[in-house]
Amino acid sequence: MDFDTMIDEKKLQKQQVVKQMEEKKLEILDELVTFVKDWYDKQILKTIKEHSDIVMDLGDEKARELKDTTITLIDNTHDIVMEYVNKPNLWWHEQENNNSYYISSNKILPELEAPIKHIFGELGSILLKYGLDGDPARHSNTWVKDYSNGNGKVKYAYGVTYSPKLCKLSNEYVDFLDLCKKINGEIASVEDKKKRENVEEWWKTL
């Protein structure tokens, strides 16, 4: 088999894996929407209970306004997730990089961790508006402003416990990613052999 045919076959193999990675990405996004909705709901109830005095002092009108705003937030979860996470630079199959990736039972793709904290921060912005900040159990703030990109957006201050399904899907994506890297190496090896053979042929003609 000639080198060009081998390279074409490897590239076709990679295309098929990339297609599987895109499908896996869509599964991750779907699960992330479900995960964020559930997180929003639990965090709202947790905050209301921890700051019951502040909430009661808001009065019926302001409390209703707060509740309606959080309901709207939850209803818009899909759009919020897409805004933060559906970006090419966050997905290896759309924008390849040399970063290291690992299988983990409780972690997800590292590129998604910061955006998820900012997704949570959308709720934080609402709660802060009504004076609902801090975690009494930890004696610290639940929300912080992130100036790393110069925008000062609110983000969640603590580590995130991801759903088992989200971790599983992320690991499956990494498996495909590793396979793509392996194919990339095989393509590079064949291309190198092709160059070397051409050099030898050239040398023989001298």
Side-chain angles (χ1 to χ4, degrees):
M1 184 181 294
D2 66 89
F3 290 127
D4 287 334
T5 301
M6 291 174 66
I7 291 170
D8 288 341
E9 287 186 355
K10 290 294 180 184
K11 287 183 177 180
L12 180 60
Q13 183 183 355
K14 180 182 176 182
Q15 287 176 5
Q16 293 170 342
V17 178
V18 167
K19 181 180 178 182
Q20 291 175 297
M21 293 178 78
E22 176 62 23
E23 292 171 354
K24 192 60 59 178
K25 168 194 168 181
L26 296 178
E27 289 184 58
I28 291 172
L29 291 175
D30 284 344
E31 173 59 20
L32 187 54
V33 170
T34 300
F35 172 70
V36 171
K37 278 185 177 182
D38 183 64
W39 192 93
Y40 278 158
D41 190 52
K42 289 178 179 177
Q43 188 66 30
I44 290 166
L45 292 177
K46 176 176 179 289
T47 303
I48 296 305
K49 290 178 181 179
E50 290 177 344
H51 300 280
S52 58
D53 290 344
I54 297 176
V55 176
M56 293 297 294
D57 287 343
L58 290 175
D60 290 351
E61 184 178 342
K62 280 291 184 181
R64 167 57 64 180
E65 180 182 281
L66 169 60
K67 184 176 180 180
D68 289 345
T69 305
T70 57
I71 289 173
T72 299
L73 175 75
I74 293 173
D75 288 343
N76 292 333
T77 300
H78 178 273
D79 292 342
I80 294 170
V81 168
M82 294 302 119
E83 177 187 349
Y84 279 95
V85 179
N86 193 19
K87 298 178 179 180
N89 64 304
L90 301 180
W91 302 93
W92 189 92
H93 73 287
E94 295 182 23
Q95 192 169 308
E96 295 184 18
N97 60 63
N98 295 319
N99 297 341
S100 298
Y101 295 84
Y102 305 97
I103 298 295
S104 172
S105 61
N106 59 2
K107 294 290 185 182
I108 61 170
L109 297 171
E111 287 86 354
L112 303 184
E113 292 180 353
I116 288 174
K117 287 192 174 187
H118 283 103
I119 290 172
F120 290 172
E122 294 290 329
L123 172 60
S125 295
I126 294 171
L127 298 177
L128 288 172
K129 180 181 175 183
Y130 292 88
L132 302 173
D133 190 21
D135 186 334
R138 299 182 180 180
H139 304 287
S140 60
N141 293 333
T142 304
W143 315 100
V144 294
K145 289 190 175 182
D146 183 5
Y147 293 98
S148 60
N149 294 319
N151 54 25
K153 276 205 164 193
V154 175
K155 71 174 183 178
Y156 186 60
Y158 303 124
V160 179
T161 300
Y162 303 104
S163 68
K165 184 175 180 181
L166 197 54
C167 294
K168 178 177 178 291
L169 292 171
S170 183
N171 286 338
E172 290 170 352
Y173 183 91
V174 172
D175 284 337
F176 286 133
L177 191 159
D178 288 339
L179 180 55
C180 264
K181 283 187 172 184
K182 180 175 179 290
I183 296 171
N184 280 348
E186 292 170 350
I187 292 172
S189 177
V190 175
E191 289 176 338
D192 183 65
K193 289 178 181 178
K194 177 183 176 183
K195 289 178 182 178
R196 290 179 182 277
E197 183 174 276
N198 289 338
V199 168
E200 291 173 4
E201 290 299 319
W202 168 76
W203 185 258
K204 290 176 184 178
T205 63
L206 295 179

